[in-house]
Amino acid sequence: MRHRVTSHPLAWIGLYQRRGHEVATSEQIATSVNANPVVIRRLLGELRKAGLADSRRGAGAGWMLARDLAAITLLDAYQAIEPGPVFALHRATPDPECVVGHGIGSAMTVVYDDVEAALCRELAKTTLEDVLRDVLKAA
């Protein structure tokens, strides 16, 4: 869910900039996302740390893309806000005396690693330029 909410503001800013605007306000972006501007500012702050968005302060303040949409993959957006693994094992160590507790970690790690690798491969294939093109086709 958060990934979609990350892609939406980035694609929106990209389109807004193509239409001749330098920066977008968090209020404008929040209207499109249907979210609170504070939530959007927090999210854009994370995207700025990841090098995907940038901001301008003072007169004419707002948000802009740090890179072109064609240079931002869905993997970039995903990793900016979900830096850890998709799946996690038990927080507490299972009972090592139990046959399941003893082997569950290594068995599930193999599966989870394969799923994570497949997810990353698929997200890396699509840029936000691709997403925006598909959005505009559907409009």
Side-chain angles (χ1 to χ4, degrees):
M1 174 65 176
R2 260 190 97 188
H3 186 258
R4 185 178 74 221
V5 174
T6 302
S7 301
H8 185 151
L10 291 169
W12 192 91
I13 294 168
L15 179 61
Y16 193 66
Q17 288 181 304
R18 283 187 190 165
R19 291 182 172 169
H21 305 277
E22 284 187 49
V23 297
T25 68
S26 53
E27 289 78 11
Q28 291 168 318
I29 300 163
T31 298
S32 178
V33 177
N34 196 23
N36 187 301
V38 172
V39 172
I40 295 300
R41 279 190 289 277
R42 255 188 247 125
L43 175 65
L44 289 168
E46 291 179 58
L47 296 173
R48 179 178 45 217
K49 287 179 194 169
L52 303 180
D54 206 353
S55 62
R56 181 188 302 163
R57 298 178 189 265
W63 294 91
M64 65 203 83
L65 295 178
R67 303 191 319 227
D68 188 71
L69 287 177
I72 302 172
T73 67
L74 291 180
L75 180 60
D76 296 327
Y78 171 77
Q79 289 177 331
I81 55 146
E82 303 287 350
V86 175
F87 298 103
L89 298 175
H90 294 282
R91 289 180 191 249
T93 303
D95 180 1
E97 299 301 315
C98 169
V99 66
V100 174
H102 178 74
I104 193 76
S106 58
M108 295 307 294
T109 296
V110 170
V111 173
Y112 291 167
D113 288 351
D114 288 348
V115 169
E116 184 88 21
L119 173 69
C120 290
R121 272 193 312 274
E122 289 304 311
L123 292 176
K125 291 179 186 178
T126 305
T127 68
L128 284 171
E129 179 69 38
D130 300 328
V131 171
L132 183 59
R133 182 188 62 243
D134 292 346
V135 165
L136 295 174
K137 272 189 216 174

